[in-house]
Amino acid sequence: MAKITIGVPVYNGEATLERSLESLRTQTYRDIEIIVSDNASTDCSAEIAQSFADRDPRFRVVRRKTNVGPVPNFFSLLEMAETDLFMWRADDDWSNAEYIAELKAKFDADGRIRLAGPEAVIVRRDGSIANVNSFVAPWQRLRILRVGHVLMNLNASSIYGLWHKPTLMEILSRTRANYQYIWAWDHMAMLPVILSESVTGSNLAKLYVGQPDAARYSAKEPARIMWEMRGAFRRACFAELWQLDWPLWEKLLLAPYLLRYANVRVYRFWKTVRRHIRQIV
């Protein structure tokens, strides 16, 4: 059995899927299984995925007859995986050939690691680089400052890094009960491994985050829901904090970091205020 499973959810991703899957097929770390879950695409996504499965037994394609929605399709891949190490891959992202090897090396080097994230390279539609979000390891001697540093600097694309699957499953069962929204679920999922200092990263693992021509999924929440999300996210953050086996004084000193984390990871305060004003005038 493979040592690492990569789950690729796709819906109408024919424009970018082949590049994404090819970057997985050519990884230098070979002991992998790639599961592509096609969510009843109306384009050639399923056929593209099947062409990889026909040529490489490490690929497996799940073809849904009806669209179950992006969220169930995304999380179903985690449930399909039978390995202890797992990662998601967006159908419009791709990576360098050493991506998995570099992240797996982080697990091999430190048994405490539960998430190893990449450097995220944001690529414009014309192929130019818009931004590079590197992993900056904490250097501070105090635990509060180290955790605070990672809270403020870990990039969102780390959710597409390499996870210890049992830990991720346990985190999701707990955090999804406390925070039942999809927006910012990735930051909520990463919070426990940040607090436990079991997350790291490698800037030798490059995740290229593409920008498609048009969004396939979009949502514009009313201000009331935005306020609810902010409150729920903040409460869930502090639920994670209070369960830590830390002295009370450390928890209290970390609280300002968590308040800032909650403000910037969901909907920012002033963005929510502006939408509220637009809806009432």
Side-chain angles (χ1 to χ4, degrees):
M1 184 175 72
K3 293 184 178 179
I4 297 175
T5 301
I6 301 99
V8 185
V10 59
Y11 173 71
N12 288 356
E14 66 176 12
T16 57
L17 181 61
E18 184 169 2
R19 178 176 58 186
S20 182
L21 296 183
E22 180 66 13
S23 75
L24 295 175
R25 188 188 69 80
T26 55
Q27 288 293 301
T28 57
Y29 186 90
R30 306 287 297 170
D31 200 1
I32 60 177
E33 177 187 34
I34 304 100
I35 305 174
V36 183
S37 181
D38 179 74
N39 200 11
S41 294
T42 58
D43 64 3
C44 294
S45 294
E47 288 74 17
I48 292 170
Q50 188 60 50
S51 72
F52 279 84
D54 292 342
R55 290 178 285 134
D56 190 329
R58 297 176 303 163
F59 284 80
R60 176 158 62 98
V61 181
V62 177
R63 302 180 71 164
R64 299 187 182 277
K65 295 181 179 180
T66 58
N67 191 310
V68 297
V71 176
N73 194 44
F74 187 89
F75 285 109
S76 69
L77 287 157
L78 179 61
E79 298 164 359
M80 295 179 202
E82 298 180 353
T83 56
D84 281 343
L85 296 177
F86 172 84
M87 67 170 63
W88 282 290
R89 170 60 56 87
D91 63 31
D92 53 355
D93 295 348
W94 67 102
S95 54
N96 63 336
E98 298 75 28
Y99 185 84
I100 296 175
E102 293 292 342
L103 298 183
K104 175 66 163 56
K106 294 296 182 179
F107 280 81
D108 295 340
D110 188 346
R112 298 171 300 173
I113 297 303
R114 293 296 178 263
L115 169 62
E119 178 179 76
V121 182
I122 314 303
V123 183
R124 297 188 183 95
R125 296 170 191 170
D126 63 3
S128 62
I129 304 301
N131 195 19
V132 177
N133 297 320
S134 301
F135 177 80
V136 182
W139 52 267
Q140 297 89 341
R141 295 183 61 184
L142 291 178
R143 175 166 58 180
I144 301 164
L145 298 179
R146 292 195 305 271
V147 171
H149 169 91
V150 179
L151 279 171
M152 294 298 103
N153 291 282
L154 188 66
N155 73 74
S157 292
S158 293
I159 197 70
Y160 291 103
L162 186 60
W163 281 92
H164 179 246
K165 181 196 167 185
T167 299
L168 178 57
M169 295 284 284
E170 189 276 329
I171 287 173
L172 290 177
S173 68
R174 184 177 69 250
T175 58
R176 290 168 76 180
N178 293 329
Y179 182 73
Q180 300 177 5
Y181 300 93
I182 293 304
W183 185 258
W185 76 269
D186 48 351
H187 293 290
M188 181 53 62
M190 291 189 289
L191 176 61
V193 293
I194 296 174
L195 295 177
S196 64
E197 296 190 277
S198 57
V199 59
T200 188
S202 171
N203 293 325
L204 297 176
K206 313 285 188 183
L207 182 68
Y208 298 96
V209 182
Q211 298 178 336
D213 291 335
R216 281 167 281 163
Y217 310 110
S218 62
K220 189 173 183 180
E221 303 290 353
R224 176 183 60 82
I225 299 299
M226 294 169 68
W227 289 118
E228 291 177 2
M229 287 184 184
R230 284 176 51 83
F233 191 92
R234 185 170 57 249
R235 289 190 296 272
C237 286
F238 278 90
E240 292 295 321
L241 174 64
W242 298 131
Q243 77 166 10
L244 291 176
D245 186 23
W246 286 19
L248 178 61
W249 67 270
E250 278 192 292
K251 294 179 181 179
L252 293 176
L253 288 177
L254 189 65
Y257 283 105
L258 275 188
L259 288 172
R260 184 181 174 196
Y261 185 77
N263 183 55
V264 301
R265 299 307 189 195
V266 193
Y267 288 106
R268 292 175 182 263
F269 175 79
W270 288 113
K271 179 176 182 178
T272 309
V273 168
R274 287 194 297 270
R275 184 162 301 174
H276 186 93
I277 292 173
R278 285 197 297 269
Q279 289 178 351
I280 63 176
V281 295

